[in-house]
Amino acid sequence: MQISLQVNGERVDAQVLPRMNLADFLREQLHLTGTHVGCEHGVCGACTVRVDGEIVRACLMLAVQAHGASVQTIEGLSDSGEVADLQAAFRDRNALQCGYCTPGMLMAAQDLLTQKVEASREDIREHLSGNYCRCTGYQAIIDAVEATARHRKGLRP
Ligand code: FES
Ligand code: FES
């Protein structure tokens, strides 16, 4: 099937199989491999991307469903500098080890901070509860997001 969409601000026209999911389309056809695939059934959050401003599980969405949509991946958020402070906080606070969960964590954390910059640790925990990390034990990730929230509010991290 023929689809047209925006990906990270650029128009993409592509032929896809009807059953191809959005994560595979981004990774295999567009080579945007920052979107990771873990569980492939909506549990781990590694495949989180933004579609028309909302974060979604790209493994649970068909590529054809993204026809006409605006999709942003971690590459787009990273290249634009939108999450530069979050990325720096993740580095500074050792909030990543293998990095497999990190793109999805950054997408979810940025989603929270754009909605609620005064997010509490509890808010952060809840918002990231659909993103699994097998390495860090989560505390460092919560610390990094909290530090970014405080920084964005103009406070010392
Ligand atoms: S790969 Fe999509 S939620 Fe795990
Ligand atoms: S850093 Fe390895 S899964 Fe999170």
Side-chain angles (χ1 to χ4, degrees), residues 17 21 27 33 48 51-52 63 77 100 102 116 120 138 146 155:
L17 291 172
N21 70 41
R27 290 176 55 82
T33 53
T48 305
V51 177
D52 291 335
L77 269 60
Y100 205 82
T102 310
K116 190 174 185 184
S120 65
Y138 300 102
E146 184 183 37
L155 301 174

Side-chain angles (χ1 to χ4, degrees), residues 96-102 133-136:
L96 67 152
Q97 289 176 30
C98 78
Y100 205 82
C101 68
T102 310
C133 176
R134 299 183 75 174
C135 305
T136 65

Side-chain angles (χ1 to χ4, degrees), residues 74-88 110 152:
I74 191 62
E75 288 89 346
L77 269 60
S78 184
D79 289 351
S80 71
E82 180 181 336
V83 291
D85 54 355
L86 258 179
Q87 290 170 310
Q110 178 65 359
R152 288 189 188 181

